[in-house]
Amino acid sequence: MNLTEQIEALKREKNAIILAHYYQTEAIQDIADYVGDSLGLSQKAAQTDADVIVFAGVHFMAETAKILNPHKKVLLPDLNAGCSLADSCPPDLFKNFVAAHPDHKVVTYINCSAEIKALSDIVCTSSNALDIINSIPKSQPIIFAPDKNLGRYIMKQTGRELVLWDGSCVVHEAFSFEKLVALYQKHPTAKIIAHPESETHILNLAHYIGSTAGMINYVKQYPDEMYIVATEAGILHKMQEQVPNTTLIPAPAVEDNTCACSECGYMKVNTLQKLYDCLLHETPHITVAPSLRKKALLPIERMLTLST
Ligand code: SF4
């Protein structure tokens, strides 16, 4: 049997499900039971009746799945799959930040650690961030963390003042404004679509701004257009499947790398071989202390309730 067949056999044997983020490699996306954005993945993790969840994504995502499924085994193919955005919000500093803003509700983007979620009133993703903020009374002051770019986008869209934590994603801050303008001049009929973790000057050029799932839905609505896509390049795989006759061009990064686009090194540490190994040996698996889990669960559940 080849590696893919061996993974399928192990999955059946162990009643496992593979959840993969759009930024995973094509080989992993192709073998996954479900490929989605953070909201979709959290919803799937909350609903699954599998005994084992293999989370092909980064640590905070697998940790969220574990918080939702304390009695299931949650595996992450490589524990080094971290996140620069989650790392930009250390719990001790954030605790002081929250304490310095009494009477504020704390809304956190799901890209953060369980410790940060435990300090939050409600969690959001880029799919539901605007709805979550709009669900809070206008008179209520809000802290938003950890992504300042998403925070600024929410402020612009909702007209609300938010107290922002100064965090960001290295991948979404790597897009080059100059190169993007040059690319657009070369393809003036193309539509620029961007993830709200991108910087404001990139978002200002975009014809559509949304989550990864939102971007895929958008191109499906207008399949005859050409698109320049400003998010992690892994999304192009599923997007192209949905619109096979559309030209998709990854937005260029400041520093050219192998594909001249923006790739998340954390996401890409997972490989098919590591996925097979973790399923075979049931390690590495995610643990969350019960007291921390209890505190982190509530803001995630509030989000899921508001997102059904
Ligand atoms: S793309 Fe950015 S936010 Fe997403 S996992 Fe990678 S570093 Fe984190």
Side-chain angles (χ1 to χ4, degrees):
M1 287 196 290
N2 64 29
L3 199 51
T4 303
E5 289 165 344
Q6 290 179 66
I7 291 170
E8 292 288 357
L10 274 177
K11 236 174 56 177
R12 284 192 296 275
E13 184 192 315
K14 298 185 182 229
N15 187 27
I17 186 171
I18 300 174
L19 305 180
H21 192 271
Y22 286 122
Y23 299 165
Q24 290 294 289
T25 63
E26 292 184 9
I28 291 179
Q29 290 190 42
D30 287 344
I31 201 169
D33 296 287
Y34 176 79
V35 182
D37 65 359
S38 294
L39 177 60
L41 289 165
S42 304
Q43 288 168 327
K44 279 281 170 202
Q47 292 158 2
T48 185
D49 56 6
D51 296 316
V52 177
I53 299 171
V54 182
F55 212 112
V58 294
H59 189 276
F60 76 80
M61 296 176 175
E63 191 177 57
T64 304
K66 181 65 183 175
I67 291 166
L68 288 163
N69 294 282
H71 305 301
K72 294 186 199 295
K73 193 163 255 183
V74 178
L75 305 170
L76 182 65
D78 189 329
L79 277 183
N80 293 316
C83 169
S84 65
L85 179 52
D87 290 347
S88 70
C89 195
D92 287 353
L93 296 182
F94 189 62
K95 195 173 178 186
N96 294 340
F97 187 75
V98 172
H101 297 87
D103 306 326
H104 283 58
K105 288 271 182 218
V106 180
V107 180
T108 49
Y109 188 35
I110 198 165
N111 298 33
C112 63
S113 65
E115 287 81 0
I116 300 298
K117 290 182 177 81
L119 293 166
S120 310
D121 293 293
I122 187 161
V123 166
C124 72
T125 71
S126 48
S127 284
N128 59 24
L130 297 176
D131 290 338
I132 299 278
I133 294 294
N134 284 331
S135 75
I136 298 171
K138 281 202 161 50
S139 56
Q140 172 63 56
I142 298 171
I143 289 173
F144 185 81
D147 191 65
K148 63 183 175 190
N149 293 313
L150 177 59
R152 285 187 192 125
Y153 170 71
I154 295 168
M155 284 168 65
K156 192 173 168 195
Q157 294 300 309
T158 62
R160 303 272 294 258
E161 271 301 315
L162 306 176
V163 177
L164 300 181
W165 178 260
D166 187 16
S168 59
C169 156
V170 287
V171 177
H172 287 91
E173 287 205 328
F175 294 119
S176 162
F177 180 77
E178 289 75 20
K179 287 185 184 177
L180 182 57
V181 170
L183 187 63
Y184 185 51
Q185 282 169 345
K186 205 170 147 195
H187 303 285
T189 58
K191 295 272 183 289
I192 299 173
I193 56 175
H195 192 281
E197 281 176 37
S198 308
E199 291 178 286
T200 305
H201 56 268
I202 299 291
L203 297 182
N204 286 343
L205 291 177
H207 300 88
Y208 172 81
I209 298 166
S211 66
T212 45
M215 283 194 237
I216 289 177
N217 285 335
Y218 183 77
V219 303
K220 272 165 70 179
Q221 279 176 50
Y222 309 101
D224 299 325
E225 305 279 358
M226 174 190 286
Y227 292 98
I228 299 172
V229 185
T231 189
E232 211 270 358
I235 194 178
L236 298 176
H237 181 51
K238 283 286 167 203
M239 198 178 264
Q240 195 74 76
E241 274 181 17
Q242 297 293 331
V243 285
N245 301 317
T246 299
T247 303
L248 303 172
I249 309 170
V254 177
E255 294 296 332
D256 278 359
N257 56 26
T258 48
C259 71
C261 59
S262 222
E263 287 207 325
C264 175
Y266 301 99
M267 286 278 183
K268 298 298 196 276
V269 297
N270 294 325
T271 63
L272 213 50
Q273 182 66 51
K274 288 179 190 172
L275 196 155
Y276 168 76
D277 290 341
C278 85
L279 190 49
L280 179 67
H281 302 297
E282 300 194 15
T283 188
H285 67 95
I286 303 294
T287 56
V288 182
S291 58
L292 176 59
R293 177 194 165 257
K294 202 173 158 197
K295 288 183 198 154
L297 178 63
L298 200 58
I300 298 170
E301 285 186 331
R302 286 193 185 120
M303 171 190 77
L304 291 175
T305 303
L306 279 173
S307 305
T308 48

PDB file of all heavy atoms in Angstrom, residues 21 23 57-58 60-61 82-86 109 111 147 168-172 197 231-232 263-267, ligand 1:
ATOM      1  N   HIS A  21      -6.499  22.457   7.493  1.00  0.00           N
ATOM      2  CA  HIS A  21      -6.693  23.867   7.135  1.00  0.00           C
ATOM      3  C   HIS A  21      -6.323  24.081   5.667  1.00  0.00           C
ATOM      4  O   HIS A  21      -5.530  23.333   5.099  1.00  0.00           O
ATOM      5  CB  HIS A  21      -5.824  24.758   8.048  1.00  0.00           C
ATOM      6  CG  HIS A  21      -6.171  26.207   7.953  1.00  0.00           C
ATOM      7  ND1 HIS A  21      -5.592  27.052   7.033  1.00  0.00           N
ATOM      8  CD2 HIS A  21      -7.057  26.952   8.661  1.00  0.00           C
ATOM      9  CE1 HIS A  21      -6.105  28.274   7.184  1.00  0.00           C
ATOM     10  NE2 HIS A  21      -7.002  28.248   8.163  1.00  0.00           N
ATOM     11  N   TYR A  23      -4.384  26.017   4.448  1.00  0.00           N
ATOM     12  CA  TYR A  23      -2.969  26.358   4.228  1.00  0.00           C
ATOM     13  C   TYR A  23      -2.057  25.134   4.264  1.00  0.00           C
ATOM     14  O   TYR A  23      -0.843  25.260   4.194  1.00  0.00           O
ATOM     15  CB  TYR A  23      -2.491  27.359   5.290  1.00  0.00           C
ATOM     16  CG  TYR A  23      -3.202  28.697   5.323  1.00  0.00           C
ATOM     17  CD1 TYR A  23      -3.074  29.543   6.426  1.00  0.00           C
ATOM     18  CD2 TYR A  23      -3.964  29.147   4.252  1.00  0.00           C
ATOM     19  CE1 TYR A  23      -3.711  30.775   6.478  1.00  0.00           C
ATOM     20  CE2 TYR A  23      -4.606  30.371   4.301  1.00  0.00           C
ATOM     21  CZ  TYR A  23      -4.478  31.183   5.419  1.00  0.00           C
ATOM     22  OH  TYR A  23      -5.108  32.401   5.474  1.00  0.00           O
ATOM     23  N   GLY A  57      -2.988  21.187  10.917  1.00  0.00           N
ATOM     24  CA  GLY A  57      -3.026  22.648  10.980  1.00  0.00           C
ATOM     25  C   GLY A  57      -1.934  23.060  11.935  1.00  0.00           C
ATOM     26  O   GLY A  57      -0.893  22.401  11.995  1.00  0.00           O
ATOM     27  N   VAL A  58      -2.164  24.120  12.697  1.00  0.00           N
ATOM     28  CA  VAL A  58      -1.147  24.544  13.669  1.00  0.00           C
ATOM     29  C   VAL A  58      -1.666  24.325  15.094  1.00  0.00           C
ATOM     30  O   VAL A  58      -2.838  23.978  15.299  1.00  0.00           O
ATOM     31  CB  VAL A  58      -0.713  26.009  13.433  1.00  0.00           C
ATOM     32  CG1 VAL A  58       0.015  26.142  12.096  1.00  0.00           C
ATOM     33  CG2 VAL A  58      -1.889  26.965  13.498  1.00  0.00           C
ATOM     34  N   PHE A  60      -2.552  26.030  17.826  1.00  0.00           N
ATOM     35  CA  PHE A  60      -3.741  26.609  18.469  1.00  0.00           C
ATOM     36  C   PHE A  60      -5.034  25.979  17.937  1.00  0.00           C
ATOM     37  O   PHE A  60      -6.041  25.917  18.645  1.00  0.00           O
ATOM     38  CB  PHE A  60      -3.766  28.146  18.336  1.00  0.00           C
ATOM     39  CG  PHE A  60      -4.159  28.662  16.979  1.00  0.00           C
ATOM     40  CD1 PHE A  60      -5.493  28.728  16.593  1.00  0.00           C
ATOM     41  CD2 PHE A  60      -3.209  29.106  16.083  1.00  0.00           C
ATOM     42  CE1 PHE A  60      -5.861  29.195  15.337  1.00  0.00           C
ATOM     43  CE2 PHE A  60      -3.559  29.576  14.823  1.00  0.00           C
ATOM     44  CZ  PHE A  60      -4.888  29.620  14.458  1.00  0.00           C
ATOM     45  N   MET A  61      -5.001  25.518  16.697  1.00  0.00           N
ATOM     46  CA  MET A  61      -6.196  24.891  16.110  1.00  0.00           C
ATOM     47  C   MET A  61      -6.447  23.521  16.754  1.00  0.00           C
ATOM     48  O   MET A  61      -7.583  23.194  17.119  1.00  0.00           O
ATOM     49  CB  MET A  61      -6.011  24.715  14.602  1.00  0.00           C
ATOM     50  CG  MET A  61      -5.880  26.017  13.856  1.00  0.00           C
ATOM     51  SD  MET A  61      -5.540  25.727  12.108  1.00  0.00           S
ATOM     52  CE  MET A  61      -5.588  27.418  11.518  1.00  0.00           C
ATOM     53  N   GLY A  82       3.617  25.950  14.985  1.00  0.00           N
ATOM     54  CA  GLY A  82       3.156  27.041  15.838  1.00  0.00           C
ATOM     55  C   GLY A  82       2.469  28.114  15.025  1.00  0.00           C
ATOM     56  O   GLY A  82       1.897  27.836  13.963  1.00  0.00           O
ATOM     57  N   CYS A  83       2.522  29.354  15.492  1.00  0.00           N
ATOM     58  CA  CYS A  83       1.875  30.463  14.772  1.00  0.00           C
ATOM     59  C   CYS A  83       2.490  31.764  15.285  1.00  0.00           C
ATOM     60  O   CYS A  83       2.481  32.016  16.488  1.00  0.00           O
ATOM     61  CB  CYS A  83       0.372  30.433  15.039  1.00  0.00           C
ATOM     62  SG  CYS A  83      -0.505  31.909  14.480  1.00  0.00           S
ATOM     63  N   SER A  84       2.998  32.579  14.355  1.00  0.00           N
ATOM     64  CA  SER A  84       3.632  33.839  14.770  1.00  0.00           C
ATOM     65  C   SER A  84       2.615  34.763  15.442  1.00  0.00           C
ATOM     66  O   SER A  84       2.959  35.514  16.358  1.00  0.00           O
ATOM     67  CB  SER A  84       4.255  34.543  13.562  1.00  0.00           C
ATOM     68  OG  SER A  84       3.251  34.941  12.651  1.00  0.00           O
ATOM     69  N   LEU A  85       1.379  34.695  14.992  1.00  0.00           N
ATOM     70  CA  LEU A  85       0.350  35.568  15.565  1.00  0.00           C
ATOM     71  C   LEU A  85       0.026  35.142  17.004  1.00  0.00           C
ATOM     72  O   LEU A  85      -0.034  35.983  17.910  1.00  0.00           O
ATOM     73  CB  LEU A  85      -0.903  35.511  14.677  1.00  0.00           C
ATOM     74  CG  LEU A  85      -2.107  36.328  15.097  1.00  0.00           C
ATOM     75  CD1 LEU A  85      -1.736  37.785  15.355  1.00  0.00           C
ATOM     76  CD2 LEU A  85      -3.199  36.249  14.035  1.00  0.00           C
ATOM     77  N   ALA A  86      -0.146  33.848  17.214  1.00  0.00           N
ATOM     78  CA  ALA A  86      -0.393  33.361  18.583  1.00  0.00           C
ATOM     79  C   ALA A  86       0.799  33.707  19.483  1.00  0.00           C
ATOM     80  O   ALA A  86       0.625  34.128  20.628  1.00  0.00           O
ATOM     81  CB  ALA A  86      -0.653  31.855  18.560  1.00  0.00           C
ATOM     82  N   TYR A 109      -9.323  36.831  18.641  1.00  0.00           N
ATOM     83  CA  TYR A 109      -9.254  36.047  17.407  1.00  0.00           C
ATOM     84  C   TYR A 109      -8.796  34.645  17.798  1.00  0.00           C
ATOM     85  O   TYR A 109      -7.947  34.492  18.688  1.00  0.00           O
ATOM     86  CB  TYR A 109      -8.242  36.748  16.502  1.00  0.00           C
ATOM     87  CG  TYR A 109      -8.127  36.258  15.096  1.00  0.00           C
ATOM     88  CD1 TYR A 109      -9.219  35.795  14.389  1.00  0.00           C
ATOM     89  CD2 TYR A 109      -6.896  36.323  14.441  1.00  0.00           C
ATOM     90  CE1 TYR A 109      -9.087  35.379  13.078  1.00  0.00           C
ATOM     91  CE2 TYR A 109      -6.755  35.912  13.134  1.00  0.00           C
ATOM     92  CZ  TYR A 109      -7.850  35.439  12.461  1.00  0.00           C
ATOM     93  OH  TYR A 109      -7.716  35.036  11.162  1.00  0.00           O
ATOM     94  N   ASN A 111      -6.806  32.687  16.680  1.00  0.00           N
ATOM     95  CA  ASN A 111      -5.364  32.429  16.532  1.00  0.00           C
ATOM     96  C   ASN A 111      -4.612  32.869  17.780  1.00  0.00           C
ATOM     97  O   ASN A 111      -3.837  33.839  17.772  1.00  0.00           O
ATOM     98  CB  ASN A 111      -4.804  33.196  15.326  1.00  0.00           C
ATOM     99  CG  ASN A 111      -5.427  32.776  14.019  1.00  0.00           C
ATOM    100  OD1 ASN A 111      -6.606  32.413  13.976  1.00  0.00           O
ATOM    101  ND2 ASN A 111      -4.665  32.829  12.961  1.00  0.00           N
ATOM    102  N   ASP A 147      -4.634  40.133  16.738  1.00  0.00           N
ATOM    103  CA  ASP A 147      -4.229  40.660  15.427  1.00  0.00           C
ATOM    104  C   ASP A 147      -4.666  42.108  15.217  1.00  0.00           C
ATOM    105  O   ASP A 147      -5.852  42.390  15.051  1.00  0.00           O
ATOM    106  CB  ASP A 147      -4.799  39.777  14.306  1.00  0.00           C
ATOM    107  CG  ASP A 147      -4.200  40.131  12.970  1.00  0.00           C
ATOM    108  OD1 ASP A 147      -2.987  39.943  12.803  1.00  0.00           O
ATOM    109  OD2 ASP A 147      -4.924  40.647  12.102  1.00  0.00           O
ATOM    110  N   SER A 168       0.534  40.452  15.152  1.00  0.00           N
ATOM    111  CA  SER A 168       0.309  40.292  13.715  1.00  0.00           C
ATOM    112  C   SER A 168       0.859  38.948  13.238  1.00  0.00           C
ATOM    113  O   SER A 168       1.588  38.277  13.959  1.00  0.00           O
ATOM    114  CB  SER A 168       0.958  41.432  12.924  1.00  0.00           C
ATOM    115  OG  SER A 168       2.349  41.453  13.169  1.00  0.00           O
ATOM    116  N   CYS A 169       0.502  38.627  11.989  1.00  0.00           N
ATOM    117  CA  CYS A 169       0.941  37.369  11.352  1.00  0.00           C
ATOM    118  C   CYS A 169       2.061  37.693  10.363  1.00  0.00           C
ATOM    119  O   CYS A 169       1.873  38.546   9.489  1.00  0.00           O
ATOM    120  CB  CYS A 169      -0.253  36.750  10.621  1.00  0.00           C
ATOM    121  SG  CYS A 169       0.202  35.640   9.288  1.00  0.00           S
ATOM    122  N   VAL A 170       3.189  37.015  10.483  1.00  0.00           N
ATOM    123  CA  VAL A 170       4.319  37.320   9.591  1.00  0.00           C
ATOM    124  C   VAL A 170       3.979  37.035   8.122  1.00  0.00           C
ATOM    125  O   VAL A 170       4.494  37.710   7.236  1.00  0.00           O
ATOM    126  CB  VAL A 170       5.594  36.511   9.971  1.00  0.00           C
ATOM    127  CG1 VAL A 170       6.222  37.036  11.234  1.00  0.00           C
ATOM    128  CG2 VAL A 170       5.323  35.023  10.060  1.00  0.00           C
ATOM    129  N   VAL A 171       3.130  36.063   7.904  1.00  0.00           N
ATOM    130  CA  VAL A 171       2.803  35.689   6.521  1.00  0.00           C
ATOM    131  C   VAL A 171       1.972  36.790   5.851  1.00  0.00           C
ATOM    132  O   VAL A 171       2.263  37.225   4.735  1.00  0.00           O
ATOM    133  CB  VAL A 171       2.029  34.347   6.492  1.00  0.00           C
ATOM    134  CG1 VAL A 171       1.616  33.974   5.075  1.00  0.00           C
ATOM    135  CG2 VAL A 171       2.860  33.248   7.123  1.00  0.00           C
ATOM    136  N   HIS A 172       0.938  37.258   6.575  1.00  0.00           N
ATOM    137  CA  HIS A 172       0.057  38.265   5.980  1.00  0.00           C
ATOM    138  C   HIS A 172       0.676  39.660   5.978  1.00  0.00           C
ATOM    139  O   HIS A 172       0.176  40.552   5.305  1.00  0.00           O
ATOM    140  CB  HIS A 172      -1.308  38.255   6.682  1.00  0.00           C
ATOM    141  CG  HIS A 172      -2.125  37.059   6.305  1.00  0.00           C
ATOM    142  ND1 HIS A 172      -2.088  35.880   7.006  1.00  0.00           N
ATOM    143  CD2 HIS A 172      -2.965  36.844   5.260  1.00  0.00           C
ATOM    144  CE1 HIS A 172      -2.872  34.989   6.424  1.00  0.00           C
ATOM    145  NE2 HIS A 172      -3.428  35.548   5.364  1.00  0.00           N
ATOM    146  N   GLU A 197      -6.207  39.683   7.810  1.00  0.00           N
ATOM    147  CA  GLU A 197      -4.955  39.749   8.578  1.00  0.00           C
ATOM    148  C   GLU A 197      -3.898  40.550   7.818  1.00  0.00           C
ATOM    149  O   GLU A 197      -2.839  40.860   8.369  1.00  0.00           O
ATOM    150  CB  GLU A 197      -4.401  38.338   8.829  1.00  0.00           C
ATOM    151  CG  GLU A 197      -5.077  37.574   9.949  1.00  0.00           C
ATOM    152  CD  GLU A 197      -4.550  36.157  10.073  1.00  0.00           C
ATOM    153  OE1 GLU A 197      -3.349  35.929   9.879  1.00  0.00           O
ATOM    154  OE2 GLU A 197      -5.360  35.251  10.354  1.00  0.00           O
ATOM    155  N   THR A 231      -3.511  35.865   0.474  1.00  0.00           N
ATOM    156  CA  THR A 231      -3.476  35.103   1.729  1.00  0.00           C
ATOM    157  C   THR A 231      -2.466  33.993   1.505  1.00  0.00           C
ATOM    158  O   THR A 231      -1.809  33.943   0.450  1.00  0.00           O
ATOM    159  CB  THR A 231      -4.862  34.585   2.163  1.00  0.00           C
ATOM    160  OG1 THR A 231      -4.759  34.040   3.481  1.00  0.00           O
ATOM    161  CG2 THR A 231      -5.384  33.501   1.225  1.00  0.00           C
ATOM    162  N   GLU A 232      -2.329  33.096   2.465  1.00  0.00           N
ATOM    163  CA  GLU A 232      -1.344  32.031   2.316  1.00  0.00           C
ATOM    164  C   GLU A 232      -1.649  31.225   1.056  1.00  0.00           C
ATOM    165  O   GLU A 232      -2.827  30.919   0.763  1.00  0.00           O
ATOM    166  CB  GLU A 232      -1.404  31.136   3.564  1.00  0.00           C
ATOM    167  CG  GLU A 232      -0.093  30.512   3.944  1.00  0.00           C
ATOM    168  CD  GLU A 232       0.153  29.163   3.296  1.00  0.00           C
ATOM    169  OE1 GLU A 232      -0.736  28.681   2.554  1.00  0.00           O
ATOM    170  OE2 GLU A 232       1.227  28.592   3.530  1.00  0.00           O
ATOM    171  N   GLU A 263       4.017  31.900   1.969  1.00  0.00           N
ATOM    172  CA  GLU A 263       3.712  30.584   2.535  1.00  0.00           C
ATOM    173  C   GLU A 263       3.980  30.606   4.027  1.00  0.00           C
ATOM    174  O   GLU A 263       4.930  31.237   4.486  1.00  0.00           O
ATOM    175  CB  GLU A 263       4.580  29.505   1.874  1.00  0.00           C
ATOM    176  CG  GLU A 263       4.157  29.183   0.465  1.00  0.00           C
ATOM    177  CD  GLU A 263       4.520  27.764   0.060  1.00  0.00           C
ATOM    178  OE1 GLU A 263       5.566  27.279   0.500  1.00  0.00           O
ATOM    179  OE2 GLU A 263       3.739  27.169  -0.705  1.00  0.00           O
ATOM    180  N   CYS A 264       3.146  29.905   4.782  1.00  0.00           N
ATOM    181  CA  CYS A 264       3.327  29.838   6.235  1.00  0.00           C
ATOM    182  C   CYS A 264       4.221  28.643   6.563  1.00  0.00           C
ATOM    183  O   CYS A 264       3.804  27.494   6.393  1.00  0.00           O
ATOM    184  CB  CYS A 264       1.973  29.700   6.927  1.00  0.00           C
ATOM    185  SG  CYS A 264       2.150  29.468   8.702  1.00  0.00           S
ATOM    186  N   GLY A 265       5.417  28.952   7.050  1.00  0.00           N
ATOM    187  CA  GLY A 265       6.369  27.895   7.400  1.00  0.00           C
ATOM    188  C   GLY A 265       5.855  27.000   8.511  1.00  0.00           C
ATOM    189  O   GLY A 265       6.197  25.813   8.574  1.00  0.00           O
ATOM    190  N   TYR A 266       5.012  27.543   9.385  1.00  0.00           N
ATOM    191  CA  TYR A 266       4.456  26.737  10.487  1.00  0.00           C
ATOM    192  C   TYR A 266       3.486  25.691   9.938  1.00  0.00           C
ATOM    193  O   TYR A 266       3.505  24.534  10.329  1.00  0.00           O
ATOM    194  CB  TYR A 266       3.715  27.627  11.487  1.00  0.00           C
ATOM    195  CG  TYR A 266       4.565  28.701  12.113  1.00  0.00           C
ATOM    196  CD1 TYR A 266       4.528  30.010  11.646  1.00  0.00           C
ATOM    197  CD2 TYR A 266       5.402  28.414  13.182  1.00  0.00           C
ATOM    198  CE1 TYR A 266       5.290  31.000  12.230  1.00  0.00           C
ATOM    199  CE2 TYR A 266       6.180  29.395  13.771  1.00  0.00           C
ATOM    200  CZ  TYR A 266       6.116  30.698  13.285  1.00  0.00           C
ATOM    201  OH  TYR A 266       6.880  31.680  13.856  1.00  0.00           O
ATOM    202  N   MET A 267       2.619  26.146   9.043  1.00  0.00           N
ATOM    203  CA  MET A 267       1.638  25.224   8.461  1.00  0.00           C
ATOM    204  C   MET A 267       2.324  24.113   7.674  1.00  0.00           C
ATOM    205  O   MET A 267       1.874  22.973   7.655  1.00  0.00           O
ATOM    206  CB  MET A 267       0.702  25.986   7.508  1.00  0.00           C
ATOM    207  CG  MET A 267      -0.321  26.851   8.203  1.00  0.00           C
ATOM    208  SD  MET A 267      -1.713  25.819   8.724  1.00  0.00           S
ATOM    209  CE  MET A 267      -2.799  27.062   9.424  1.00  0.00           C
TER     210      MET A 267
HETATM  211  S1  SF4 B   1      -0.606  32.111   8.341  1.00  0.00           S
HETATM  212 FE1  SF4 B   1      -0.066  33.494  10.058  1.00  0.00          FE
HETATM  213  S2  SF4 B   1      -1.822  33.371  11.446  1.00  0.00           S
HETATM  214 FE2  SF4 B   1      -1.951  31.581  10.062  1.00  0.00          FE
HETATM  215  S3  SF4 B   1      -0.858  29.944  11.163  1.00  0.00           S
HETATM  216 FE3  SF4 B   1       0.657  30.934   9.811  1.00  0.00          FE
HETATM  217  S4  SF4 B   1       1.624  32.480  11.145  1.00  0.00           S
HETATM  218 FE4  SF4 B   1      -0.281  31.869  12.159  1.00  0.00          FE
END
